[in-house]
Amino acid sequence: MDIRVSGHQVETGDALKTLVTERLQATADKYFSRALSSQVTFGKGPHDNGFTCDIIMHVMQGLVLKAANRGMEANGAFDGAADRIDKQLRRYTRRLKDRQTGAITALAENGAYDNAGYTLFQEPAEEEEPVESPLIIAETRVDVPEATVSDAVMMLDLRHTNALLFRNTATGAHNMVYRRGDGTIGWVEPNRAQA
């Protein structure tokens, strides 16, 4: 796995680079033997107090994990972020194993898993004035993954983002999952054209 360690206004020494490389390589080997790359960036903490550590790990095509942590020492900041990456990978592999077990059970029951139900909750109204024309901070180009709704929710959690656009493998249409203000997950699916 390609591991890059850099510092933003912080010098990273050989000992820190060795610690980062060994820990991330061990984590990758434990869960995914063919992880692609990792980028670890150290920076100064708020008000030049302590350190920050951001980790972005590309585990496989379409699966990106992100974690960040702060600490008074660079090693402590890295350990906290690496623990979060480890936890995310552990959950992801557990979900994959559960899905495989669930698929076998569902097939044994003649595919009686099409009766999924859902509940819509109304998000509480906010009292603040809406901003008429907010500034666009950044535009990015991303690959739109092809996934099921449950895979998209899992990617949303692993990427620590508020929204994810994906191509639904069941319908072929572009859908979006997003994290609502109350912590639940919303799913947007476009209307299908009437024939």
Side-chain angles (χ1 to χ4, degrees), residues 97-179:
K97 289 177 185 176
D98 291 346
R99 181 179 309 130
Q100 290 171 352
T101 305
I104 293 169
T105 304
L107 288 174
E109 295 174 355
N110 297 323
Y113 52 86
D114 293 334
N115 300 337
Y118 59 91
T119 305
L120 298 178
F121 297 98
Q122 184 175 359
E123 192 167 336
E126 293 187 16
E127 301 291 325
E128 298 177 10
E129 291 278 328
V131 177
E132 290 184 23
S133 57
L135 295 175
I136 297 173
I137 302 297
E139 293 182 12
T140 57
R141 295 183 182 266
V142 295
D143 293 326
V144 177
E146 193 165 318
T148 63
V149 176
S150 62
D151 286 344
V153 171
M154 182 170 46
M155 283 188 253
L156 179 77
D157 288 339
L158 292 174
R159 293 180 182 185
H160 292 289
T161 59
N162 292 327
L164 176 72
L165 178 69
F166 67 100
R167 185 179 174 100
N168 193 331
T169 55
T171 63
H174 285 88
N175 289 192
M176 183 177 73
V177 290
Y178 63 97
R179 188 165 314 281

Coordinates of all heavy atoms in Angstrom, one line a residue, residues 97-179:
K97 N -19.8 -9.4 5.8 CA -20.1 -10.8 6.3 C -21.5 -11.0 6.6 O -22.1 -12.0 6.2 CB -19.2 -11.1 7.5 CG -17.7 -11.3 7.2 CD -16.9 -11.5 8.4 CE -15.5 -11.6 8.1 NZ -14.7 -11.7 9.3
D98 N -22.2 -10.0 7.2 CA -23.6 -10.1 7.5 C -24.4 -10.1 6.3 O -25.4 -10.8 6.2 CB -24.0 -9.0 8.4 CG -23.5 -9.1 9.9 OD1 -23.0 -10.1 10.2 OD2 -23.5 -8.1 10.6
R99 N -24.0 -9.3 5.3 CA -24.8 -9.3 4.0 C -24.7 -10.6 3.3 O -25.7 -11.1 2.8 CB -24.3 -8.2 3.1 CG -25.1 -8.1 1.8 CD -24.6 -7.1 0.9 NE -24.6 -5.8 1.5 CZ -23.5 -5.0 1.4 NH1 -22.5 -5.4 0.7 NH2 -23.5 -3.8 2.0
Q100 N -23.5 -11.2 3.3 CA -23.4 -12.5 2.6 C -24.2 -13.6 3.3 O -24.9 -14.4 2.7 CB -21.9 -12.9 2.6 CG -21.1 -12.1 1.7 CD -19.6 -12.4 1.8 OE1 -19.2 -13.1 2.7 NE2 -18.8 -11.8 0.9
T101 N -24.2 -13.6 4.7 CA -25.1 -14.5 5.4 C -26.5 -14.2 5.2 O -27.3 -15.1 5.0 CB -24.7 -14.4 6.9 OG1 -23.3 -14.6 7.1 CG2 -25.5 -15.4 7.7
G102 N -26.9 -12.9 5.2 CA -28.3 -12.6 4.9 C -28.8 -12.9 3.5 O -29.9 -13.3 3.3
A103 N -27.9 -12.8 2.5 CA -28.3 -13.2 1.2 C -28.5 -14.7 1.0 O -29.5 -15.1 0.4 CB -27.2 -12.8 0.2
I104 N -27.7 -15.5 1.7 CA -27.9 -16.9 1.7 C -29.2 -17.3 2.3 O -30.0 -18.1 1.8 CB -26.7 -17.6 2.3 CG1 -25.5 -17.4 1.5 CG2 -27.0 -19.1 2.6 CD1 -24.2 -17.9 2.2
T105 N -29.5 -16.6 3.5 CA -30.8 -16.9 4.2 C -32.0 -16.5 3.3 O -33.0 -17.2 3.2 CB -30.8 -16.1 5.5 OG1 -29.7 -16.5 6.3 CG2 -32.1 -16.4 6.3
A106 N -31.9 -15.3 2.7 CA -33.0 -14.8 1.9 C -33.2 -15.7 0.7 O -34.4 -16.0 0.3 CB -32.7 -13.4 1.4
L107 N -32.2 -16.2 0.1 CA -32.4 -17.1 -1.1 C -33.0 -18.4 -0.6 O -33.8 -19.0 -1.3 CB -31.0 -17.4 -1.7 CG -30.4 -16.3 -2.5 CD1 -29.0 -16.7 -3.0 CD2 -31.3 -15.9 -3.7
A108 N -32.7 -18.9 0.6 CA -33.3 -20.1 1.1 C -34.8 -19.9 1.4 O -35.5 -20.8 1.4 CB -32.6 -20.5 2.4
E109 N -35.2 -18.6 1.7 CA -36.6 -18.3 1.9 C -37.3 -17.9 0.6 O -38.3 -17.2 0.7 CB -36.7 -17.3 3.0 CG -36.2 -17.7 4.3 CD -36.2 -16.6 5.3 OE1 -36.5 -15.4 5.0 OE2 -35.9 -16.8 6.5
N110 N -36.8 -18.3 -0.5 CA -37.4 -18.0 -1.8 C -37.5 -16.5 -2.1 O -38.4 -16.0 -2.7 CB -38.8 -18.6 -1.9 CG -38.7 -20.1 -1.9 OD1 -37.8 -20.7 -2.4 ND2 -39.7 -20.7 -1.2
G111 N -36.5 -15.7 -1.7 CA -36.5 -14.3 -2.0 C -37.6 -13.5 -1.4 O -38.0 -12.5 -2.1
A112 N -38.0 -13.7 -0.3 CA -39.1 -13.0 0.4 C -38.6 -11.8 1.1 O -39.1 -11.4 2.1 CB -39.9 -13.9 1.3
Y113 N -37.7 -11.0 0.5 CA -37.1 -9.9 1.1 C -37.5 -8.6 0.3 O -37.0 -7.5 0.5 CB -35.6 -10.0 1.2 CG -34.9 -10.3 -0.1 CD1 -34.6 -9.3 -1.0 CD2 -34.6 -11.6 -0.4 CE1 -34.0 -9.6 -2.2 CE2 -34.0 -11.9 -1.6 CZ -33.7 -10.9 -2.5 OH -33.1 -11.3 -3.6
D114 N -38.5 -8.7 -0.6 CA -38.9 -7.5 -1.4 C -39.9 -6.6 -0.7 O -40.3 -5.6 -1.2 CB -39.5 -8.0 -2.7 CG -38.4 -8.6 -3.6 OD1 -37.2 -8.3 -3.4 OD2 -38.8 -9.4 -4.5
N115 N -40.4 -7.0 0.5 CA -41.4 -6.3 1.2 C -40.8 -5.3 2.2 O -41.2 -5.2 3.3 CB -42.3 -7.2 2.0 CG -43.0 -8.2 1.0 OD1 -43.1 -7.9 -0.2 ND2 -43.4 -9.4 1.5
A116 N -39.8 -4.5 1.8 CA -39.2 -3.5 2.7 C -40.2 -2.4 2.9 O -40.9 -1.9 2.0 CB -37.9 -3.0 2.1
G117 N -40.2 -1.9 4.1 CA -41.0 -0.8 4.5 C -40.2 0.4 5.0 O -39.0 0.2 5.3
Y118 N -40.7 1.6 4.9 CA -40.0 2.7 5.4 C -41.0 3.7 6.0 O -42.1 3.7 5.8 CB -39.2 3.3 4.3 CG -40.0 3.8 3.1 CD1 -40.5 5.1 3.1 CD2 -40.3 3.0 2.1 CE1 -41.2 5.6 2.0 CE2 -41.0 3.4 1.0 CZ -41.5 4.7 1.0 OH -42.2 5.2 -0.1
T119 N -40.4 4.6 6.8 CA -41.2 5.6 7.5 C -40.6 6.9 7.2 O -39.3 7.1 7.3 CB -41.2 5.3 9.0 OG1 -41.6 4.0 9.3 CG2 -42.1 6.3 9.8
L120 N -41.4 7.9 6.9 CA -40.9 9.3 6.7 C -41.2 10.1 7.9 O -42.3 10.1 8.5 CB -41.6 9.9 5.5 CG -41.4 9.2 4.2 CD1 -42.2 9.9 3.1 CD2 -40.0 9.2 3.8
F121 N -40.2 10.8 8.4 CA -40.3 11.7 9.5 C -40.1 13.1 9.1 O -39.3 13.4 8.2 CB -39.2 11.4 10.6 CG -39.2 10.0 11.1 CD1 -38.5 9.0 10.7 CD2 -40.1 9.7 12.2 CE1 -38.5 7.7 11.2 CE2 -40.2 8.4 12.7 CZ -39.4 7.4 12.2
Q122 N -40.9 14.0 9.6 CA -40.8 15.4 9.3 C -39.7 16.0 10.1 O -39.6 15.9 11.3 CB -42.1 16.1 9.6 CG -42.1 17.5 9.1 CD -43.5 18.1 9.3 OE1 -44.4 17.5 9.7 NE2 -43.6 19.4 8.9
E123 N -38.8 16.7 9.4 CA -37.7 17.4 10.0 C -38.2 18.6 10.7 O -39.0 19.4 10.1 CB -36.6 17.7 9.0 CG -35.3 18.1 9.6 CD -34.2 18.1 8.6 OE1 -34.3 17.4 7.6 OE2 -33.2 18.9 8.9
P124 N -37.8 18.9 11.9 CA -38.3 20.1 12.6 C -37.9 21.4 11.8 O -36.8 21.5 11.3 CB -37.6 20.1 14.0 CG -36.5 19.1 13.8 CD -36.8 18.2 12.7
A125 N -38.8 22.3 11.8 CA -38.6 23.6 11.1 C -37.6 24.4 11.9 O -37.6 24.5 13.1 CB -39.9 24.4 10.9
E126 N -36.7 25.2 11.2 CA -35.8 26.0 11.9 C -36.3 27.4 12.0 O -37.1 27.9 11.1 CB -34.4 26.0 11.1 CG -33.8 24.7 11.2 CD -32.4 24.7 10.6 OE1 -31.8 25.8 10.4 OE2 -31.8 23.6 10.3
E127 N -35.9 28.2 13.0 CA -36.4 29.5 13.2 C -35.6 30.6 12.5 O -35.9 31.7 12.4 CB -36.4 29.8 14.7 CG -37.2 28.9 15.5 CD -38.7 29.0 15.3 OE1 -39.1 30.2 15.1 OE2 -39.4 28.0 15.3
E128 N -34.4 30.2 11.9 CA -33.5 31.2 11.4 C -34.0 31.6 10.0 O -34.7 30.9 9.3 CB -32.1 30.6 11.2 CG -31.5 30.2 12.6 CD -30.1 29.5 12.4 OE1 -29.6 29.6 11.3 OE2 -29.6 29.0 13.4
E129 N -33.5 32.8 9.6 CA -33.8 33.3 8.2 C -32.9 32.5 7.2 O -31.8 32.3 7.4 CB -33.3 34.8 8.2 CG -34.2 35.7 9.0 CD -35.5 36.1 8.3 OE1 -35.5 36.2 7.1 OE2 -36.5 36.3 9.0
P130 N -33.5 32.1 6.1 CA -32.8 31.4 5.1 C -31.8 32.3 4.4 O -32.2 33.5 4.1 CB -33.8 30.8 4.2 CG -35.0 31.6 4.4 CD -34.9 32.2 5.8
V131 N -30.7 31.8 4.0 CA -29.7 32.6 3.3 C -30.2 32.6 1.8 O -30.4 31.6 1.2 CB -28.3 32.0 3.4 CG1 -27.3 32.8 2.6 CG2 -27.9 32.0 4.9
E132 N -30.3 33.8 1.2 CA -30.8 33.9 -0.1 C -29.9 33.4 -1.2 O -30.3 32.7 -2.1 CB -31.2 35.3 -0.4 CG -32.4 35.8 0.4 CD -32.9 37.2 0.0 OE1 -32.6 37.6 -1.1 OE2 -33.5 37.8 0.8
S133 N -28.6 33.7 -1.1 CA -27.7 33.2 -2.1 C -26.3 32.9 -1.4 O -25.4 33.7 -1.4 CB -27.4 34.2 -3.2 OG -27.0 35.4 -2.7
P134 N -26.2 31.6 -0.9 CA -25.0 31.3 -0.2 C -23.8 31.2 -1.2 O -24.0 31.0 -2.4 CB -25.3 29.9 0.4 CG -26.4 29.4 -0.5 CD -27.2 30.6 -1.0
L135 N -22.6 31.4 -0.7 CA -21.4 31.3 -1.5 C -21.1 29.9 -1.8 O -21.3 29.0 -1.0 CB -20.2 32.0 -0.8 CG -20.3 33.5 -0.5 CD1 -19.1 33.9 0.4 CD2 -20.3 34.2 -1.8
I136 N -20.6 29.6 -3.0 CA -20.1 28.3 -3.4 C -18.6 28.3 -3.0 O -17.8 29.0 -3.5 CB -20.3 28.0 -4.9 CG1 -21.7 28.1 -5.2 CG2 -19.6 26.7 -5.2 CD1 -22.0 28.0 -6.7
I137 N -18.3 27.4 -2.0 CA -16.9 27.3 -1.5 C -16.0 26.6 -2.4 O -14.9 27.0 -2.8 CB -16.9 26.7 -0.1 CG1 -17.8 27.5 0.9 CG2 -15.5 26.6 0.4 CD1 -17.4 28.9 1.1
A138 N -16.5 25.4 -2.9 CA -15.6 24.6 -3.8 C -16.5 23.7 -4.6 O -17.6 23.3 -4.2 CB -14.7 23.7 -2.9
E139 N -16.0 23.4 -5.8 CA -16.6 22.4 -6.7 C -15.7 21.3 -6.9 O -14.5 21.5 -7.1 CB -17.0 23.1 -8.0 CG -18.0 24.1 -8.0 CD -18.3 24.7 -9.4 OE1 -17.9 24.1 -10.4 OE2 -19.0 25.7 -9.4
T140 N -16.1 20.1 -6.8 CA -15.3 18.9 -7.0 C -15.9 18.0 -7.9 O -17.2 17.9 -8.1 CB -15.0 18.2 -5.6 OG1 -16.3 17.8 -5.1 CG2 -14.3 19.0 -4.6
R141 N -15.1 17.2 -8.6 CA -15.6 16.2 -9.5 C -15.4 14.9 -8.9 O -14.3 14.6 -8.4 CB -14.9 16.2 -10.9 CG -15.2 17.5 -11.6 CD -14.5 17.5 -13.0 NE -14.7 18.7 -13.7 CZ -15.6 18.9 -14.6 NH1 -16.5 17.9 -14.8 NH2 -15.8 20.0 -15.2
V142 N -16.4 14.1 -8.8 CA -16.3 12.8 -8.2 C -16.9 11.7 -9.1 O -17.7 12.0 -9.9 CB -17.0 12.7 -6.8 CG1 -16.4 13.6 -5.8 CG2 -18.5 13.0 -7.0
D143 N -16.4 10.5 -8.9 CA -17.0 9.4 -9.6 C -18.3 9.0 -8.9 O -18.4 8.9 -7.6 CB -16.1 8.1 -9.6 CG -14.9 8.4 -10.4 OD1 -15.0 9.1 -11.4 OD2 -13.8 7.9 -10.1
V144 N -19.4 8.7 -9.6 CA -20.6 8.3 -9.0 C -20.6 6.8 -8.9 O -20.6 6.1 -10.0 CB -21.8 8.9 -9.9 CG1 -23.1 8.4 -9.3 CG2 -21.8 10.4 -10.0
P145 N -20.6 6.3 -7.7 CA -20.5 4.8 -7.6 C -21.9 4.2 -7.9 O -22.9 4.7 -7.9 CB -20.2 4.6 -6.1 CG -20.8 5.8 -5.4 CD -20.6 6.9 -6.4
E146 N -21.8 2.9 -8.4 CA -23.0 2.1 -8.7 C -23.1 1.2 -7.4 O -22.2 0.4 -7.1 CB -22.8 1.3 -9.9 CG -24.0 0.7 -10.4 CD -23.9 0.2 -11.9 OE1 -23.3 0.9 -12.7 OE2 -24.4 -0.9 -12.1
A147 N -24.3 1.3 -6.8 CA -24.5 0.6 -5.5 C -25.9 0.4 -5.2 O -26.8 1.0 -5.8 CB -23.8 1.3 -4.4
T148 N -26.2 -0.5 -4.3 CA -27.6 -0.6 -3.7 C -27.7 0.4 -2.7 O -26.8 1.1 -2.3 CB -27.8 -2.0 -3.1 OG1 -26.9 -2.1 -2.0 CG2 -27.5 -3.2 -4.1
V149 N -29.0 0.6 -2.2 CA -29.2 1.7 -1.3 C -28.5 1.4 0.0 O -27.9 2.3 0.6 CB -30.8 1.8 -1.0 CG1 -31.0 2.8 0.1 CG2 -31.5 2.2 -2.3
S150 N -28.5 0.1 0.5 CA -27.8 -0.2 1.7 C -26.3 0.0 1.6 O -25.6 0.5 2.5 CB -28.1 -1.6 2.2 OG -27.6 -2.5 1.2
D151 N -25.7 -0.3 0.4 CA -24.3 0.0 0.2 C -24.0 1.5 0.2 O -23.0 1.9 0.7 CB -23.8 -0.6 -1.1 CG -23.7 -2.1 -1.1 OD1 -23.7 -2.7 0.0 OD2 -23.6 -2.7 -2.2
A152 N -24.9 2.3 -0.4 CA -24.7 3.7 -0.4 C -24.8 4.3 1.0 O -24.0 5.2 1.3 CB -25.8 4.4 -1.3
V153 N -25.7 3.8 1.8 CA -25.7 4.3 3.2 C -24.4 3.9 3.9 O -23.8 4.7 4.7 CB -26.9 3.7 4.0 CG1 -26.9 4.0 5.5 CG2 -28.2 4.2 3.4
M154 N -23.9 2.7 3.7 CA -22.6 2.3 4.3 C -21.5 3.2 3.8 O -20.6 3.7 4.6 CB -22.3 0.9 3.9 CG -21.0 0.3 4.5 SD -20.8 -1.5 4.3 CE -21.2 -1.7 2.6
M155 N -21.5 3.6 2.5 CA -20.4 4.5 2.0 C -20.6 5.9 2.6 O -19.6 6.5 2.8 CB -20.5 4.6 0.4 CG -20.0 3.4 -0.3 SD -19.9 3.7 -2.1 CE -21.2 2.6 -2.6
L156 N -21.8 6.3 2.8 CA -22.0 7.6 3.4 C -21.4 7.6 4.8 O -20.8 8.6 5.2 CB -23.6 7.9 3.5 CG -24.0 9.2 4.2 CD1 -23.8 10.3 3.2 CD2 -25.5 9.1 4.5
D157 N -21.6 6.6 5.6 CA -21.0 6.5 6.9 C -19.5 6.4 6.9 O -18.8 7.1 7.6 CB -21.5 5.2 7.7 CG -23.0 5.4 8.1 OD1 -23.5 6.5 8.2 OD2 -23.6 4.4 8.3
L158 N -19.0 5.6 5.9 CA -17.5 5.5 5.9 C -16.8 6.7 5.4 O -15.7 7.0 5.8 CB -17.2 4.3 5.0 CG -17.6 2.9 5.5 CD1 -17.3 1.8 4.5 CD2 -16.8 2.6 6.8
R159 N -17.4 7.5 4.5 CA -16.8 8.7 4.0 C -17.0 9.9 4.9 O -16.5 10.9 4.6 CB -17.4 9.0 2.6 CG -17.0 7.9 1.6 CD -17.5 8.3 0.2 NE -17.1 7.2 -0.7 CZ -17.4 7.3 -2.0 NH1 -18.0 8.4 -2.5 NH2 -17.1 6.4 -2.8
H160 N -17.9 9.8 5.9 CA -18.2 10.9 6.8 C -18.6 12.1 6.0 O -18.1 13.2 6.2 CB -16.9 11.3 7.7 CG -16.6 10.2 8.7 ND1 -17.4 10.0 9.7 CD2 -15.6 9.4 8.7 CE1 -16.9 9.0 10.4 NE2 -15.8 8.6 9.8
T161 N -19.5 11.9 5.1 CA -20.1 13.0 4.3 C -21.6 13.2 4.7 O -22.2 12.3 5.3 CB -20.0 12.8 2.8 OG1 -20.6 11.6 2.5 CG2 -18.5 12.7 2.4
N162 N -22.2 14.3 4.3 CA -23.6 14.5 4.6 C -24.5 14.0 3.5 O -25.7 13.8 3.7 CB -23.8 16.0 4.8 CG -23.2 16.5 6.1 OD1 -23.1 15.8 7.0 ND2 -22.7 17.8 6.0
A163 N -24.0 13.8 2.3 CA -24.8 13.3 1.2 C -23.9 12.5 0.2 O -22.7 12.7 0.1 CB -25.4 14.5 0.4
L164 N -24.6 11.6 -0.5 CA -23.9 10.8 -1.5 C -24.8 10.5 -2.7 O -25.9 10.0 -2.5 CB -23.5 9.4 -0.8 CG -22.8 8.4 -1.8 CD1 -21.4 8.9 -2.2 CD2 -22.8 7.0 -1.2
L165 N -24.4 10.9 -3.9 CA -25.1 10.6 -5.1 C -24.6 9.3 -5.6 O -23.3 9.0 -5.6 CB -24.8 11.7 -6.1 CG -25.5 11.5 -7.5 CD1 -27.0 11.7 -7.4 CD2 -24.9 12.5 -8.5
F166 N -25.5 8.4 -6.0 CA -25.1 7.1 -6.5 C -26.0 6.6 -7.6 O -27.1 7.1 -7.7 CB -25.0 6.0 -5.4 CG -26.3 5.7 -4.8 CD1 -27.0 4.5 -5.1 CD2 -26.9 6.5 -3.8 CE1 -28.2 4.2 -4.5 CE2 -28.1 6.2 -3.3 CZ -28.7 5.0 -3.6
R167 N -25.6 5.6 -8.4 CA -26.5 5.0 -9.4 C -27.0 3.7 -8.8 O -26.2 2.8 -8.4 CB -25.7 4.7 -10.7 CG -26.5 4.2 -11.8 CD -25.7 4.0 -13.0 NE -26.5 3.4 -14.0 CZ -27.0 4.1 -15.1 NH1 -26.8 5.4 -15.2 NH2 -27.7 3.4 -16.0
N168 N -28.3 3.7 -8.6 CA -29.0 2.5 -8.0 C -28.9 1.3 -8.9 O -29.3 1.3 -10.0 CB -30.4 2.9 -7.7 CG -31.1 1.9 -6.8 OD1 -30.7 0.7 -6.7 ND2 -32.1 2.4 -6.0
T169 N -28.3 0.2 -8.4 CA -28.1 -1.0 -9.2 C -29.5 -1.7 -9.5 O -29.6 -2.3 -10.5 CB -27.2 -2.0 -8.5 OG1 -27.7 -2.3 -7.2 CG2 -25.8 -1.5 -8.4
A170 N -30.5 -1.4 -8.7 CA -31.8 -2.1 -8.9 C -32.6 -1.4 -10.0 O -33.3 -2.0 -10.8 CB -32.6 -2.1 -7.6
T171 N -32.5 0.0 -10.0 CA -33.3 0.7 -11.0 C -32.5 1.3 -12.1 O -33.1 1.7 -13.1 CB -34.1 1.9 -10.3 OG1 -33.1 2.8 -9.7 CG2 -35.0 1.3 -9.2
G172 N -31.2 1.5 -11.9 CA -30.4 2.2 -12.9 C -30.5 3.7 -12.9 O -29.8 4.4 -13.7
A173 N -31.3 4.2 -12.0 CA -31.4 5.7 -11.9 C -30.5 6.2 -10.9 O -30.0 5.5 -10.0 CB -32.9 6.0 -11.5
H174 N -30.2 7.5 -11.0 CA -29.4 8.2 -10.0 C -30.2 8.5 -8.7 O -31.3 9.0 -8.9 CB -28.8 9.5 -10.5 CG -27.7 9.2 -11.5 ND1 -27.9 9.0 -12.9 CD2 -26.3 9.1 -11.3 CE1 -26.7 8.8 -13.5 NE2 -25.8 8.9 -12.5
N175 N -29.7 8.1 -7.6 CA -30.4 8.3 -6.3 C -29.4 9.1 -5.4 O -28.2 9.2 -5.7 CB -30.7 7.0 -5.7 CG -31.9 6.3 -6.3 OD1 -32.4 5.3 -5.8 ND2 -32.3 6.6 -7.5
M176 N -29.9 9.5 -4.3 CA -29.1 10.2 -3.3 C -29.5 9.8 -1.9 O -30.7 9.7 -1.6 CB -29.2 11.7 -3.4 CG -28.3 12.5 -2.5 SD -28.3 14.3 -2.6 CE -29.9 14.6 -1.9
V177 N -28.5 9.5 -1.0 CA -28.8 9.3 0.4 C -28.1 10.5 1.1 O -27.1 11.0 0.7 CB -28.3 8.0 0.9 CG1 -29.1 6.8 0.3 CG2 -26.8 7.8 0.6
Y178 N -28.7 10.9 2.2 CA -28.2 12.1 2.9 C -28.5 11.9 4.4 O -29.5 11.2 4.8 CB -28.7 13.4 2.4 CG -30.2 13.6 2.5 CD1 -30.8 14.3 3.6 CD2 -31.1 13.0 1.6 CE1 -32.1 14.4 3.8 CE2 -32.5 13.1 1.8 CZ -33.0 13.8 2.8 OH -34.3 14.0 3.0
R179 N -27.7 12.6 5.2 CA -27.9 12.6 6.7 C -28.8 13.8 7.0 O -28.5 14.9 6.7 CB -26.6 12.7 7.4 CG -26.7 12.5 8.9 CD -25.4 12.2 9.6 NE -24.6 11.2 8.9 CZ -24.8 9.9 9.0 NH1 -25.7 9.4 9.7 NH2 -23.9 9.1 8.4

